[in-house]
Amino acid sequence: MKTATRLIALTIITLFSISNTSIAQAQEHTVTLVCNSDELRTKKTHEACYFAQDPDVDPREFLITVDVGDVILWDGQSVSGEDRIDIKKIKWDKGTKIFDEDFIDGIETVVGTVKYDTKDKKDFKYTIQFKVNDSEKMYKIDPKVRVNP
């Protein structure tokens, strides 16, 4: 009888753990910066670029909402498809820090796992630093992230 009770209790605990884990799985969010490399030479960065997820929003006002534990992947894309937009760094500017470090480096893309929420605090304001075709010139644009607990 004790064995059957233990088996039932163990089964219930296991099912609860599995369902709890599947509900709380981290999600991956891709943020794609799209730039017209010809316009970058003559216009301000925010006039030559936009985010694929919300192309009608000024990129300085672009905001994504994520959860603690989620992974954010930043990548770049050119309008022409011929140029390469390499995301080199994500750097904290102001507001609530959501990563352990003030900046995260990359080569072509940058990946970060969200550690802290912004509930009842200012959104995470950051700078994306990127290059076109690995040129010497570093471009910058500064969107925001809001993090749910």
Side-chain angles (χ1 to χ4, degrees), residues 85-133:
I85 308 296
D86 295 331
I87 308 298
K88 298 295 188 178
K89 184 180 284 191
I90 300 299
K91 183 177 178 286
W92 172 77
D93 280 342
K94 61 183 175 181
T96 306
K97 291 184 182 180
I98 63 171
F99 303 112
D100 284 333
E101 296 84 24
D102 286 350
F103 61 88
I104 306 169
D105 288 319
I107 297 172
E108 292 178 5
T109 62
V110 175
V111 178
T113 301
V114 178
K115 303 285 185 173
Y116 310 104
D117 69 70
T118 59
K119 184 178 180 191
D120 301 324
K121 303 172 199 158
K122 293 187 180 222
D123 294 330
F124 174 72
K125 184 79 170 165
Y126 65 100
T127 298
I128 297 175
Q129 296 180 2
F130 65 96
K131 291 184 176 184
V132 178
N133 297 328

Side-chain angles (χ1 to χ4, degrees), residues 2-129:
K2 280 186 173 182
T3 305
T5 304
R6 286 183 183 168
L7 185 58
I8 291 171
L10 183 60
T11 303
I12 291 170
I13 290 170
T14 303
L15 288 173
F16 179 77
S17 297
I18 291 171
S19 67
N20 215 14
T21 302
S22 64
I23 291 171
Q25 283 185 342
Q27 292 185 2
E28 183 176 290
H29 303 269
T30 300
V31 176
T32 303
L33 178 66
V34 181
C35 296
N36 182 322
S37 52
D38 290 333
E39 288 184 5
L40 276 171
R41 292 182 189 91
T42 59
K43 294 184 175 183
K44 294 181 180 179
T45 306
H46 70 274
E47 296 171 331
C49 300
Y50 62 89
F51 288 98
Q53 291 74 11
D54 207 348
D56 296 328
V57 170
D58 182 321
R60 297 170 296 180
E61 297 303 317
F62 177 75
L63 172 73
I64 62 166
T65 302
V66 300
D67 295 319
V68 171
D70 284 359
V71 174
I72 305 173
L73 181 141
W74 288 269
D75 70 351
Q77 193 175 63
S78 73
V79 171
S80 70
E82 295 175 16
D83 293 311
R84 208 175 67 242
I85 308 296
D86 295 331
I87 308 298
K88 298 295 188 178
K89 184 180 284 191
I90 300 299
K91 183 177 178 286
W92 172 77
D93 280 342
K94 61 183 175 181
T96 306
K97 291 184 182 180
I98 63 171
F99 303 112
D100 284 333
E101 296 84 24
D102 286 350
F103 61 88
I104 306 169
D105 288 319
I107 297 172
E108 292 178 5
T109 62
V110 175
V111 178
T113 301
V114 178
K115 303 285 185 173
Y116 310 104
D117 69 70
T118 59
K119 184 178 180 191
D120 301 324
K121 303 172 199 158
K122 293 187 180 222
D123 294 330
F124 174 72
K125 184 79 170 165
Y126 65 100
T127 298
I128 297 175
Q129 296 180 2

